[in-house]
Amino acid sequence: MANNSTTFHIDLTQLKSNWTWLDARTPRHCRTASVVKANAYGHGMRAIVTSLFDAGCRIFCVARLEEAIELRSILTAENNAHEVAEIICFDGLQDGEPADYRIFNLIPALKQVSEIEAANKFARESGKIFPVWIQLDTGMNRLGISKAELSSLFVKNSPFSLSGLDIRAIMSHLSSSDNPSHSTNEQHHARFIEMSNLFGPLPRSLSASHGILLSDKFHFDITRPGIALYGYNDNSGVEFGCKPILKWTAPILQIRSISPGEQI
């Protein structure tokens, strides 16, 4: 009997090549993370993550806490991946308490002042430093601490403290990186430098997939490719060495010959 099912084919070798190409686009000191939220963009988290780890990736990003816990369990089963791989949760402390992140060795990207305060309080009370990323809003108006909120925290004599936090990176997101000539790219870049400088000399991350394709100045210390890993790019005017890793096949049920004017 013929096979009448449709099939998704995932090319994990091409996935590794895509990550390697994106990693090579950035300076040697810059680390290339992998965004694997939403079940690795629908491609299946386990196979995608283990392949990316084999390719050399050591920072993985998801959106929600439950995704991060699933990802940690996958990496725990992969030899020493548990110890060396960092998992960043973009939703911050939205879905759980700081203790949940510590139990599973996860790093929340804190997106509002109240989360920074909660994380710092947890660190002081537990007597153990708490690793985090800090998420800034440089104009996308999606997630992150605004310039006004940030400025109010660093005024003279402010009681605000970061003493309990191990800030691994300062991050933001470009709103128009798929359009290289858009003026907001430069505005985001300047605002990101200004805001992140308040934290001192810490690793910085501004670019996701399309930001990597802009220029070296947008790469900073960590890039976060997502859709590009899987072989897709919205800007046909830039060099792009990644190819789609997904192929979808389906059987042809019937071939018919019809005359002009017949209904179909």
Side-chain angles (χ1 to χ4, degrees), residues 128-187:
K128 188 176 180 181
I129 213 83
F130 189 52
V132 301
W133 280 25
I134 301 293
Q135 195 166 177
L136 304 179
D137 174 22
T138 53
M140 191 174 195
N141 295 311
R142 186 168 72 180
L143 293 177
I145 300 168
S146 70
K147 182 178 179 180
E149 291 172 319
L150 192 65
S151 298
S152 69
L153 298 178
F154 284 93
V155 296
K156 189 176 180 180
N157 298 323
S158 170
F160 178 70
S161 173
L162 299 169
S163 60
L165 304 182
D166 174 16
I167 303 176
R168 301 285 180 86
I170 308 294
M171 69 168 286
S172 188
H173 204 301
L174 297 163
S175 63
S176 303
S177 56
D178 56 343
N179 183 353
S181 62
H182 203 293
S183 61
T184 58
N185 292 322
E186 293 297 332
Q187 294 169 9

Side-chain angles (χ1 to χ4, degrees), residues 5-7 248-252:
S5 63
T6 62
T7 306
W248 185 8
T249 61
I252 297 173

Side-chain angles (χ1 to χ4, degrees), residues 7-83:
T7 306
F8 284 145
H9 306 267
I10 308 295
D11 188 340
L12 298 176
T13 299
Q14 184 61 54
L15 172 70
K16 294 178 182 180
S17 295
N18 290 351
W19 183 87
T20 301
W21 186 86
L22 291 163
D23 186 54
R25 291 276 300 191
T26 62
R28 185 179 296 272
H29 77 274
C30 182
R31 294 179 289 167
T32 303
S34 293
V35 180
V36 294
K37 62 185 179 180
N39 195 29
Y41 288 62
H43 293 77
M45 184 181 285
R46 179 175 295 276
I48 295 297
V49 165
T50 53
S51 295
L52 288 169
F53 186 88
D54 288 345
C57 182
R58 295 296 181 266
I59 304 175
F60 297 90
C61 305
V62 294
R64 303 183 62 80
L65 176 61
E66 59 263 33
E67 293 180 298
I69 293 173
E70 177 189 359
L71 176 52
R72 179 56 72 197
S73 70
I74 293 171
L75 291 171
T76 298
E78 295 296 319
N79 299 322
N80 67 334
H82 176 64
E83 284 80 24

